[in-house]
Amino acid sequence: MSVSIAGIGMHPFGRTEGVSGMQQGVVAVRAALRDAGLTWDDVDFAAGGSEAAGNPDTMVSALGLTGIPFINVKNGCATGGSALTVAAAAIESGQAEVAVALGFDKHPRGAFNEDPARWGLPEWYGRTGMMLTTQFFAMKIQRYMHDYGISDAALAKVAVKAFENGALNENAWRRAPLTEAEVAGSRMINHPLTQYMYCSPGEGAVAVVLRRTSQGAASREVKLASVAFRTRRFGSFEVFSPHLAAERVDGPTVDAAAACFEAAGIDPADVDLAQVQDTESGAEIMHMAETGLCAHGDQEKLIADGSTRIDGSLPINTDGGCLANGEPVGASGLRQVYENVLQLRGDAGPRQVPGSPKVAFTHVYGAPGVSACTLLTV
């Protein structure tokens, strides 16, 4: 791709009383423009997403009424990745030289509990409790643990790592480290997942400034090597699936990751660090293999020997992931991109991956079975 990330901006994640999700989005956009050395007048195109905090295009009232095309996107937890896909396509197609992708949200407290009708599902599906996504994720990881020999201890270790990394991240929500015993001993939500193995709905915003890659690009610019977005196929078992097909196929994560690596001409073995969807501890474990970063079943050893820690051979979720940051749905995918840009610039401070990383991967997954992946390089 001929697209680079020229600037990044973030409003801290967590709970910010008295500040709307839209206002947090404005903060993130202005920060990203400052980082890029640009102004809103320089922007030719924008794409933004939010699940619960309003229509992103209306923030032009605060940013500037310049008349640019501004597309709203909404794709569950893959909303941020969708916004990035659209903004990058605008540059690749020649419609824009500079584009902004942004995501923000401000969710009420408590677990996500959706209305079946919004997702084209019958009322009975909601009555079963399956619209409460904690149940779906617990069922999925139960089967995975049985099939590939993953232990309860691995689930706890994923959360411990997340909170350790979050403690090093000034923009994270959960910044208090927890022990393995504290994670495993917290309240059981849906077996085998305890309270501290789940992320929480929250608030936050992220924006990135994209522009066409040029010969004289600034040294701080990070190349967007590829971005890929895929939806579910018949036979995959996904969030809000009302049935399980007799013949199973891979989910959208597998398809999106494969397309991303193929488009960039990069092998998963070349990845220096990765951010993957960790709605709960089991998701990180499953997505490590589904994205091709390791083989199914190898996660147990990789997690136990510290390979996925910041100083390990395959650092994963170096900013604390969803577990430590919470999940404002519209912003999560771009939070991953923000972190990888910092890492590739060498600006991640106390959580910097050693050895001057050159290739960074992101992956998001969301309802009702969508996934977006990116590869960034320097």
Side-chain angles (χ1 to χ4, degrees):
M1 297 184 75
S2 57
V3 179
S4 293
I5 297 176
I8 54 174
M10 176 182 288
H11 183 286
F13 282 33
R15 291 290 177 191
T16 308
E17 299 301 329
V19 182
S20 71
M22 189 84 68
Q23 290 169 328
Q24 293 178 42
V26 171
V27 169
V29 171
R30 287 174 174 164
L33 289 169
R34 283 195 303 272
D35 187 47
L38 299 172
T39 70
W40 185 248
D41 287 336
D42 297 314
V43 178
D44 304 312
F45 180 93
S50 173
E51 178 71 19
N55 293 330
D57 67 296
T58 62
M59 69 171 57
V60 296
S61 296
L63 295 171
L65 300 173
T66 58
I68 65 166
F70 196 134
I71 293 178
N72 294 336
V73 300
K74 193 172 184 177
N75 253 335
C77 300
T79 292
S82 300
L84 185 67
T85 300
V86 173
I91 293 177
E92 283 280 271
S93 67
Q95 295 181 59
E97 292 295 318
V98 176
V100 167
L102 67 137
F104 60 89
D105 253 311
K106 189 179 182 80
H107 299 291
R109 298 177 189 275
F112 293 116
N113 191 13
E114 291 281 359
D115 177 2
R118 285 190 62 227
W119 299 89
L121 294 169
E123 185 182 347
W124 65 259
Y125 188 77
R127 289 199 301 268
T128 68
M130 288 300 290
M131 292 304 292
L132 194 62
T133 54
T134 57
Q135 294 203 48
F136 166 81
F137 290 118
M139 289 175 59
K140 194 165 186 177
I141 191 60
Q142 280 181 25
R143 179 169 183 161
Y144 193 89
M145 292 168 73
H146 172 271
D147 290 349
Y148 295 107
I150 304 298
S151 67
D152 288 346
L155 295 174
K157 285 182 170 66
V158 167
V160 169
K161 171 181 66 68
F163 296 124
E164 285 179 352
N165 293 352
L168 303 176
N169 180 3
E170 69 278 9
N171 288 315
W173 185 8
R174 312 294 191 191
R175 302 195 62 199
L178 295 174
T179 67
E180 190 172 330
E182 288 173 322
V183 171
S186 62
R187 183 164 58 104
M188 182 61 68
I189 303 298
N190 288 104
H191 183 77
L193 299 169
T194 66
Q195 180 177 354
Y196 295 146
M197 295 176 187
Y198 282 102
C199 76
S200 300
E203 305 175 20
V206 183
V208 300
V209 176
L210 308 175
R211 66 178 163 199
R212 188 176 306 281
T213 304
S214 64
Q215 285 296 114
S219 60
R220 287 171 58 82
E221 291 193 7
V222 172
K223 182 174 174 55
L224 179 61
S226 64
V227 57
F229 187 96
R230 293 292 187 273
T231 59
R232 65 200 182 283
R233 292 182 285 133
F234 180 78
S236 65
F237 182 49
E238 311 299 339
V239 183
F240 303 155
S241 290
H243 66 273
L244 182 62
E247 295 184 9
R248 299 288 300 277
V249 302
D250 290 329
T253 287
V254 174
D255 294 339
C260 190
F261 282 111
E262 181 178 1
I266 292 173
D267 190 271
D270 296 326
V271 170
D272 295 316
L273 72 146
Q275 319 298 326
V276 302
Q277 183 81 17
D278 61 332
T279 313
E280 34 75 30
S281 294
E284 178 173 320
I285 291 172
M286 291 184 285
H287 292 146
M288 286 171 62
E290 290 179 348
T291 57
L293 297 174
C294 72
H296 291 287
D298 286 357
Q299 302 99 314
E300 181 81 15
K301 181 178 185 303
L302 290 169
I303 292 167
D305 68 17
S307 294
T308 60
R309 297 168 65 92
I310 288 174
D311 59 353
S313 59
L314 181 59
I316 291 179
N317 291 335
T318 51
D319 68 348
C322 288
L323 291 177
N325 287 277
E327 185 166 32
V329 164
S332 285
L334 292 177
R335 171 188 54 77
Q336 297 176 334
V337 173
Y338 180 99
E339 172 68 7
N340 278 355
V341 170
L342 286 182
Q343 292 285 350
L344 294 179
R345 288 178 176 176
D347 290 343
R351 64 182 187 279
Q352 178 65 49
V353 170
S356 300
K358 298 292 189 293
V359 179
F361 174 77
T362 73
H363 155 268
V364 287
Y365 167 85
V370 294
S371 181
C373 298
T374 72
L375 279 161
L376 307 182
T377 61
V378 289

